[in-house]
Amino acid sequence: HRLAHWVHGLKLTLIARLISMIGRFLTGIEIHPGATIGKRLFIDHGYGVVIGETAVIGDDVTLYHAVTLGGTSLR
């Protein structure tokens, strides 16, 4: 996610989404490149976890399976 987020910050959104899709294929965890994630995020049993573009996750957070974070719009 860190690489995809950095590329997303460069406004290379298509490349960022491709990197994100590779991560999703390998892990089953869907994280939008625009999501803001702090240090030491731990995802336990990751299948079904979706982190959307508007999500902001702080440091030292643990997520379990079947969690969806993020809003439905940018407002």
Side-chain angles (χ1 to χ4, degrees), residues 27-58:
T27 65
I29 300 168
E30 185 174 344
I31 304 175
H32 190 283
T36 302
I37 298 177
K39 298 175 184 171
R40 296 174 301 275
L41 170 66
F42 178 71
I43 301 175
D44 193 16
H45 302 291
Y47 281 95
V49 172
V50 178
I51 301 173
E53 181 177 14
T54 60
V56 178
I57 301 173

Side-chain angles (χ1 to χ4, degrees), residues 1-17:
H1 168 74
R2 304 278 182 211
L3 176 61
H5 185 73
W6 180 74
V7 172
H8 188 266
L10 297 174
K11 307 293 185 210
L12 301 172
T13 55
L14 179 60
I15 296 171
R17 291 298 298 214

